[in-house]
């Protein structure tokens, strides 16, 4: 046994380091436990008691999988690893909640060049903390050491999540009607999309260092780029409970218009007014420094809008009020009208400020 273990270590895989990482992450994972979780960390599979679904008339499971893209390069460059988990969970659970599903549990996957237990524990700490915010259990995961494929300080993370929704309450294009209003929820920044463009513009072409103080941002470039993704899951569930909502778009890769169009039915156009909000400084900076056209930047970055809710006009005041009560900035982006042809989203005017 010792000889086999030593041979594996010689090939670059440290089993003992992996075991230490598991021990360090156990306390973080334990904080995310829900009553439906059976067993503990370390088994071959995680268990979630489905008898909890007996309270539903027709429970439907929803699932989503994602990663965080090249934002991990920023975390690695700054040697700060306890926030990138928010980006992973935000990308996962907020794709579920837009259909009305409650996130139940998450599994994660970390691939690295070398297992450094403290670094892995920091990554999992962020994932677990974000799971707490989302109300989801961190049910299990995997850490894989890939020597020769990844450098010792390199890693990538991905995950999957499962949620449940009453079939009669699934949100989507079939509920949207002409005259519905589009309400925005502010993003916390870039979230976890468009980093290939941002890195190309600011780091590669402009040659800016991550420790550069940027007056427009009020912080260093690196701190801004590592701002964690807003996790909206519990907020969205509260908004759905507070007022009628027909559809919701999670604004991720592809930008606001492309993502909102995914939740509109054929024969409807949503007209959004740019003068209803001012994109935060980081978006303006990328556009100005990179001389990126308006269509290009809007098709890549969220421009300060993390979620877009489509709701009847008489629900808008309650939605904005509930969002404010929960510490979120919300505003009316525009309206929907009937047209001929496919669904589309038009952005009009210029941004305020």
């Amino acid at each position: 046994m010792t000889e086999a273990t030593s041979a594996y270590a010689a090939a670059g895989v440290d089993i003992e380091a992996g075991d230490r990482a598991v021990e360090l992450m156990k306390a973080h994972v334990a904080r995310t436990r829900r009553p439906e979780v059976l067993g503990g960390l370390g088994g071959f599979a995680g268990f979630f008691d489905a008898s909890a679904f007996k309270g539903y008339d027709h429970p439907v499971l929803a699932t989503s999988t994602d990663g965080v893209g090249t934002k991990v390069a920023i975390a690695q460059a700054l040697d700060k690893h306890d926030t990138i988990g928010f980006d992973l969970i935000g990308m996962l659970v907020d794709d579920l909640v837009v259909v009305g599903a409650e996130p139940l549990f998450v599994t994660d996957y970390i691939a690295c060049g070398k297992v450094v237990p403290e670094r892995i524990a920091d990554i999992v700490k962020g994932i677990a903390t974000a799971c707490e915010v989302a109300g989801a259990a961190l049910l299990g995961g995997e850490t894989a050491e890939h020597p020769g494929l990844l450098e010792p300080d390199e890693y990538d993370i991905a995950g999957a999540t499962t949620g449940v929704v009453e079939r009669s309450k699934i949100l989507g294009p079939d509920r949207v009607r002409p005259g519905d209003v589009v309400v925005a929820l502010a993003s916390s920044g870039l979230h976890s999309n468009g980093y290939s463009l941002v890195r190309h513009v600011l780091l590669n072409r402009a040659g800016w260092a991550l420790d550069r103080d940027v007056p427009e941002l009020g912080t260093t470039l690196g701190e801004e780029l590592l701002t964690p993704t807003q996790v909206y899951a519990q907020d969205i569930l509260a908004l759905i409970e507070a007022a009628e909502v027909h559809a919701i778009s999670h604004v991720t890769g592809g930008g606001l218009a492309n993502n909102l169009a995914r939740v509109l039915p054929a024969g409807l156009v949503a007209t959004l007014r740019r003068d209803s909000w001012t994109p935060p400084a980081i978006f303006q900076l990328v556009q100005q420094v990179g001389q990126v056209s308006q269509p290009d930047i809007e098709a890549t970055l969220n421009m300060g809008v993390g979620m877009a809710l489509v709701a009847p006009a008489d629900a808008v005041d309650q939605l904005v009020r509930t969002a404010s009560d929960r510490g979120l900035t919300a505003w009316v982006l525009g309206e929907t009208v009937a047209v001929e042809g496919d669904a589309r989203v038009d952005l009009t005017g210029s941004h305020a400020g």
Side-chain angles (χ1 to χ4, degrees):
M1 184 67 179
T2 302
E3 183 179 346
T5 302
S6 297
Y8 209 10
V13 177
D14 189 340
I15 294 175
E16 291 183 0
D19 292 340
R20 291 198 303 275
V22 171
E23 287 301 315
L24 289 172
M25 69 177 71
K26 279 184 176 179
H28 302 309
V29 175
R31 297 199 314 270
T32 74
R33 189 180 181 91
R34 291 175 51 127
E36 304 94 335
V37 174
L38 305 177
L41 190 66
F44 285 101
F47 295 98
F48 193 92
D49 187 355
S51 68
F53 303 156
K54 289 179 179 178
Y56 290 79
D57 293 326
H58 190 154
V60 176
L61 295 180
T63 185
S64 173
T65 186
D66 210 339
V68 301
T70 61
K71 188 170 183 174
V72 294
I74 308 298
Q76 291 161 22
L78 294 176
D79 195 23
K80 181 172 173 55
H81 313 284
D82 60 353
T83 63
I84 199 74
F86 271 84
D87 303 291
L88 178 63
I89 299 306
M91 293 301 104
L92 292 175
V93 301
D94 289 338
D95 274 359
L96 286 188
V97 77
V98 296
V99 302
E102 176 193 1
L104 299 174
F105 57 83
V106 170
T107 55
D108 64 11
Y109 180 81
I110 305 170
C112 58
K114 177 180 176 59
V115 169
V116 179
E118 293 75 15
R119 183 165 61 211
I120 298 299
D122 271 352
I123 296 170
V124 174
K125 175 184 177 182
I127 293 172
T129 304
C131 281
E132 288 185 273
V133 172
L138 183 52
L139 197 57
E142 174 71 11
T143 301
E145 206 165 19
H146 291 170
L149 294 181
L150 295 170
E151 294 297 321
D153 290 334
E154 289 182 339
Y155 63 83
D156 197 11
I157 61 175
T161 186
T162 297
V164 63
V165 59
E166 191 74 68
R167 183 169 182 174
S168 63
K169 295 182 178 180
I170 295 175
L171 305 181
D174 58 305
R175 294 176 177 259
V176 179
R177 298 290 182 266
D180 279 353
V181 175
V182 182
V183 176
L185 297 182
S187 69
S188 57
L190 293 165
H191 284 184
S192 188
N193 303 106
Y195 273 74
S196 293
L197 171 65
V198 173
R199 291 168 58 244
H200 175 68
V201 167
L202 299 181
L203 304 184
N204 298 338
R205 280 176 48 187
W208 290 10
L210 290 174
D211 61 0
R212 177 188 179 118
D213 283 308
V214 184
E216 298 95 325
L217 301 177
T219 186
T220 66
L221 177 61
E223 288 171 339
E224 175 68 31
L225 297 187
L226 208 56
T227 300
T229 297
Q230 179 80 35
V231 176
Y232 297 95
Q234 292 299 308
D235 299 311
I236 292 294
L237 293 175
L239 288 167
I240 293 170
E241 185 69 24
E244 183 178 357
V245 176
H246 290 161
I248 307 175
S249 173
H250 184 199
V251 184
T252 56
L256 173 57
N258 289 331
N259 281 287
L260 181 56
R262 295 165 63 182
V263 300
L264 300 179
L268 213 63
V269 59
T271 301
L272 310 183
R273 297 183 298 275
R274 292 190 184 96
D275 64 3
S276 67
W277 88 102
T278 301
I282 184 61
F283 300 97
Q284 300 178 53
L285 200 64
V286 172
Q287 185 171 14
Q288 293 165 6
V289 173
Q291 297 182 318
V292 182
S293 70
Q294 192 72 23
D296 268 356
I297 199 158
E298 289 179 340
T300 308
L301 305 181
N302 69 56
M303 300 303 288
V305 179
M307 288 275 184
L309 288 69
V310 186
D314 59 8
V316 170
D317 287 347
Q318 183 62 53
L319 289 173
V320 172
R321 187 161 51 248
T322 301
S324 178
D325 289 344
R326 298 184 65 86
L328 296 174
T329 300
W331 68 94
V332 173
L333 267 177
E335 299 81 25
T336 64
V337 296
V339 293
E340 298 246 339
D342 294 334
R344 73 174 193 271
V345 175
D346 293 337
L347 286 132
T348 63
S350 301
H351 287 297

